[in-house]
Short mmCIF file of all heavy atoms in Angstrom, two decimals:
data_model
loop_
_atom_site.label_atom_id
_atom_site.label_comp_id
_atom_site.label_asym_id
_atom_site.label_seq_id
_atom_site.Cartn_x
_atom_site.Cartn_y
_atom_site.Cartn_z
N TRP A 23 -4.86 -4.06 -7.03
CA TRP A 23 -3.75 -4.32 -7.99
C TRP A 23 -4.32 -4.62 -9.32
O TRP A 23 -3.79 -4.03 -10.34
CB TRP A 23 -2.94 -5.52 -7.49
CG TRP A 23 -1.81 -5.16 -6.42
CD1 TRP A 23 -1.72 -5.73 -5.23
CD2 TRP A 23 -0.79 -4.28 -6.64
NE1 TRP A 23 -0.59 -5.19 -4.61
CE2 TRP A 23 0.01 -4.31 -5.38
CE3 TRP A 23 -0.31 -3.41 -7.65
CZ2 TRP A 23 1.17 -3.52 -5.18
CZ3 TRP A 23 0.85 -2.60 -7.36
CH2 TRP A 23 1.53 -2.69 -6.22
N ARG A 26 -5.54 -1.46 -10.97
CA ARG A 26 -4.44 -0.57 -11.48
C ARG A 26 -3.74 -1.08 -12.68
O ARG A 26 -3.45 -0.42 -13.64
CB ARG A 26 -3.47 -0.44 -10.31
CG ARG A 26 -2.32 0.53 -10.65
CD ARG A 26 -1.34 0.83 -9.57
NE ARG A 26 -1.85 1.87 -8.71
CZ ARG A 26 -1.73 3.18 -8.81
NH1 ARG A 26 -1.21 3.65 -9.96
NH2 ARG A 26 -2.15 3.96 -8.00
N PHE A 27 -3.36 -2.41 -12.73
CA PHE A 27 -2.58 -2.98 -13.78
C PHE A 27 -3.54 -2.89 -15.06
O PHE A 27 -3.03 -2.50 -16.22
CB PHE A 27 -2.29 -4.50 -13.50
CG PHE A 27 -1.38 -4.68 -12.44
CD1 PHE A 27 -1.34 -5.80 -11.64
CD2 PHE A 27 -0.37 -3.76 -12.11
CE1 PHE A 27 -0.46 -6.06 -10.54
CE2 PHE A 27 0.55 -3.87 -10.99
CZ PHE A 27 0.48 -5.10 -10.28
N HIS A 143 4.77 -3.48 -1.12
CA HIS A 143 3.62 -3.15 -0.25
C HIS A 143 2.92 -1.99 -0.69
O HIS A 143 3.51 -0.89 -0.64
CB HIS A 143 4.16 -3.09 1.16
CG HIS A 143 3.17 -2.59 2.14
ND1 HIS A 143 3.37 -1.46 2.97
CD2 HIS A 143 1.92 -2.98 2.40
CE1 HIS A 143 2.34 -1.22 3.71
NE2 HIS A 143 1.43 -2.15 3.39
N PRO A 144 1.61 -2.14 -1.04
CA PRO A 144 0.83 -0.94 -1.51
C PRO A 144 -0.05 -0.45 -0.41
O PRO A 144 0.06 -0.80 0.75
CB PRO A 144 0.00 -1.59 -2.60
CG PRO A 144 -0.32 -2.88 -2.00
CD PRO A 144 0.82 -3.36 -1.26
N PHE A 145 -0.87 0.46 -0.73
CA PHE A 145 -1.79 1.10 0.27
C PHE A 145 -3.15 1.22 -0.43
O PHE A 145 -3.35 1.51 -1.60
CB PHE A 145 -1.27 2.53 0.68
CG PHE A 145 0.03 2.29 1.42
CD1 PHE A 145 1.18 2.32 0.68
CD2 PHE A 145 0.10 2.29 2.81
CE1 PHE A 145 2.37 2.06 1.38
CE2 PHE A 145 1.24 2.15 3.40
CZ PHE A 145 2.41 2.06 2.80
N PRO A 147 -6.88 2.63 -1.26
CA PRO A 147 -7.12 1.79 -2.47
C PRO A 147 -5.93 1.82 -3.42
O PRO A 147 -5.40 2.77 -3.82
CB PRO A 147 -8.31 2.47 -3.16
CG PRO A 147 -8.14 3.94 -2.72
CD PRO A 147 -7.54 3.97 -1.37
N VAL A 148 -5.46 0.60 -3.75
CA VAL A 148 -4.24 0.43 -4.54
C VAL A 148 -4.34 1.06 -5.90
O VAL A 148 -3.37 1.56 -6.55
CB VAL A 148 -3.86 -1.14 -4.63
CG1 VAL A 148 -2.67 -1.34 -5.45
CG2 VAL A 148 -3.84 -1.77 -3.28
N TYR A 149 -5.63 1.09 -6.41
CA TYR A 149 -5.72 1.61 -7.79
C TYR A 149 -5.60 3.21 -7.76
O TYR A 149 -5.49 3.72 -8.92
CB TYR A 149 -7.06 1.17 -8.31
CG TYR A 149 -8.27 1.46 -7.57
CD1 TYR A 149 -9.04 2.68 -7.76
CD2 TYR A 149 -8.81 0.59 -6.73
CE1 TYR A 149 -10.16 3.01 -7.05
CE2 TYR A 149 -9.98 0.70 -5.98
CZ TYR A 149 -10.61 2.05 -6.13
OH TYR A 149 -11.74 2.27 -5.43
N LEU A 150 -5.55 3.80 -6.63
CA LEU A 150 -5.42 5.30 -6.60
C LEU A 150 -4.19 5.81 -5.87
O LEU A 150 -3.56 6.76 -6.20
CB LEU A 150 -6.65 5.88 -5.95
CG LEU A 150 -7.98 5.80 -6.83
CD1 LEU A 150 -9.18 6.48 -6.09
CD2 LEU A 150 -7.83 6.36 -8.21
N ILE A 151 -3.85 5.14 -4.77
CA ILE A 151 -2.68 5.55 -3.86
C ILE A 151 -1.46 5.16 -4.64
O ILE A 151 -1.23 3.97 -4.88
CB ILE A 151 -2.72 4.90 -2.48
CG1 ILE A 151 -4.01 5.31 -1.80
CG2 ILE A 151 -1.55 5.31 -1.70
CD1 ILE A 151 -4.06 6.81 -1.39
N PRO A 152 -0.56 6.16 -4.87
CA PRO A 152 0.63 5.75 -5.67
C PRO A 152 1.89 5.07 -5.00
O PRO A 152 2.65 4.44 -5.66
CB PRO A 152 1.06 7.19 -6.31
CG PRO A 152 0.55 8.15 -5.26
CD PRO A 152 -0.71 7.58 -4.66
N LEU A 153 1.94 5.14 -3.61
CA LEU A 153 3.08 4.66 -2.95
C LEU A 153 3.07 3.11 -2.99
O LEU A 153 2.07 2.45 -2.69
CB LEU A 153 3.02 5.15 -1.48
CG LEU A 153 4.27 4.67 -0.65
CD1 LEU A 153 5.59 5.24 -1.20
CD2 LEU A 153 4.07 5.11 0.76
N VAL A 154 4.21 2.55 -3.29
CA VAL A 154 4.59 1.22 -3.07
C VAL A 154 5.87 1.07 -2.47
O VAL A 154 6.91 1.49 -3.00
CB VAL A 154 4.39 0.39 -4.39
CG1 VAL A 154 5.36 0.92 -5.44
CG2 VAL A 154 4.59 -1.14 -4.18
N GLU A 155 5.90 0.34 -1.34
CA GLU A 155 7.33 0.10 -0.65
C GLU A 155 7.98 -1.11 -1.16
O GLU A 155 7.38 -2.22 -1.15
CB GLU A 155 7.10 -0.02 0.84
CG GLU A 155 6.52 1.23 1.50
CD GLU A 155 6.34 1.13 2.98
OE1 GLU A 155 5.70 0.18 3.38
OE2 GLU A 155 6.71 2.05 3.75
N GLN A 171 11.19 -1.62 -9.68
CA GLN A 171 10.95 -0.17 -9.58
C GLN A 171 10.55 0.38 -10.97
O GLN A 171 9.59 1.20 -11.05
CB GLN A 171 12.34 0.49 -9.24
CG GLN A 171 12.16 2.03 -9.10
CD GLN A 171 13.51 2.62 -8.62
OE1 GLN A 171 14.60 2.03 -8.67
NE2 GLN A 171 13.45 3.90 -8.34
N PHE A 173 9.01 -1.27 -13.33
CA PHE A 173 7.66 -1.73 -13.69
C PHE A 173 6.65 -0.91 -12.88
O PHE A 173 5.68 -0.46 -13.49
CB PHE A 173 7.56 -3.19 -13.31
CG PHE A 173 6.13 -3.72 -13.25
CD1 PHE A 173 5.38 -3.75 -14.48
CD2 PHE A 173 5.51 -3.87 -12.09
CE1 PHE A 173 4.13 -4.35 -14.48
CE2 PHE A 173 4.12 -4.36 -12.10
CZ PHE A 173 3.45 -4.47 -13.24
N TYR A 174 6.78 -0.67 -11.59
CA TYR A 174 5.80 -0.01 -10.81
C TYR A 174 5.76 1.46 -11.24
O TYR A 174 4.57 2.04 -11.18
CB TYR A 174 6.08 -0.17 -9.37
CG TYR A 174 5.73 -1.64 -8.84
CD1 TYR A 174 6.81 -2.43 -8.47
CD2 TYR A 174 4.48 -2.10 -8.74
CE1 TYR A 174 6.62 -3.69 -7.94
CE2 TYR A 174 4.27 -3.38 -8.31
CZ TYR A 174 5.32 -4.18 -7.93
OH TYR A 174 5.08 -5.48 -7.47
N GLU A 175 6.72 1.97 -11.68
CA GLU A 175 6.64 3.35 -12.21
C GLU A 175 5.85 3.37 -13.51
O GLU A 175 5.14 4.33 -13.84
CB GLU A 175 8.15 3.88 -12.50
CG GLU A 175 8.89 4.25 -11.33
CD GLU A 175 10.40 4.62 -11.56
OE1 GLU A 175 10.84 4.29 -12.68
OE2 GLU A 175 10.99 5.21 -10.65
N SER A 176 5.88 2.31 -14.26
CA SER A 176 5.12 2.23 -15.53
C SER A 176 3.62 2.20 -15.26
O SER A 176 2.80 2.47 -16.19
CB SER A 176 5.56 0.95 -16.33
OG SER A 176 5.03 -0.27 -15.88
N VAL A 177 3.19 1.77 -14.01
CA VAL A 177 1.77 1.77 -13.69
C VAL A 177 1.46 2.99 -12.83
O VAL A 177 0.58 2.96 -11.99
CB VAL A 177 1.32 0.48 -13.04
CG1 VAL A 177 1.48 -0.66 -14.10
CG2 VAL A 177 2.16 0.09 -11.90
N ASN A 178 2.27 4.06 -13.01
CA ASN A 178 1.99 5.36 -12.34
C ASN A 178 2.07 5.33 -10.80
O ASN A 178 1.31 5.97 -10.08
CB ASN A 178 0.67 5.92 -12.75
CG ASN A 178 0.75 6.47 -14.16
OD1 ASN A 178 1.77 6.70 -14.75
ND2 ASN A 178 -0.44 6.69 -14.80
N MET A 179 2.96 4.50 -10.26
CA MET A 179 3.19 4.41 -8.87
C MET A 179 4.44 5.12 -8.50
O MET A 179 5.38 5.40 -9.38
CB MET A 179 3.18 3.04 -8.33
CG MET A 179 1.89 2.23 -8.69
SD MET A 179 1.79 0.69 -7.79
CE MET A 179 1.12 1.25 -6.20
N LYS A 180 4.61 5.37 -7.16
CA LYS A 180 5.82 6.04 -6.64
C LYS A 180 6.56 5.04 -5.75
O LYS A 180 6.27 4.89 -4.53
CB LYS A 180 5.39 7.20 -5.79
CG LYS A 180 4.76 8.34 -6.49
CD LYS A 180 5.73 9.16 -7.44
CE LYS A 180 5.08 10.37 -8.06
NZ LYS A 180 6.04 11.07 -8.90
N PRO A 181 7.46 4.25 -6.39
CA PRO A 181 8.19 3.22 -5.56
C PRO A 181 9.08 3.86 -4.62
O PRO A 181 9.87 4.74 -4.90
CB PRO A 181 9.00 2.39 -6.60
CG PRO A 181 8.35 2.77 -7.99
CD PRO A 181 7.84 4.18 -7.75
N LEU A 182 8.97 3.37 -3.37
CA LEU A 182 9.99 3.79 -2.30
C LEU A 182 10.78 2.56 -2.01
O LEU A 182 10.27 1.54 -1.42
CB LEU A 182 9.21 4.30 -1.05
CG LEU A 182 10.04 4.64 0.15
CD1 LEU A 182 11.10 5.74 -0.12
CD2 LEU A 182 9.14 5.00 1.37
N LEU A 319 11.07 9.95 -4.55
CA LEU A 319 11.04 9.21 -3.24
C LEU A 319 12.49 8.66 -2.86
O LEU A 319 12.75 8.45 -1.72
CB LEU A 319 10.14 8.04 -3.34
CG LEU A 319 8.60 8.39 -3.58
CD1 LEU A 319 7.73 7.19 -3.42
CD2 LEU A 319 8.19 9.46 -2.50
#
Side-chain angles (χ1 to χ4, degrees):
W23 277 121
R26 179 177 281 276
F27 295 151
H143 171 232
F145 296 82
V148 182
Y149 54 90
L150 293 180
I151 300 290
L153 181 64
V154 56
E155 295 178 313
Q171 179 183 10
F173 166 72
Y174 289 110
E175 287 174 345
S176 81
V177 292
N178 287 339
M179 299 194 83
K180 297 286 187 181
L182 172 60
L319 296 187

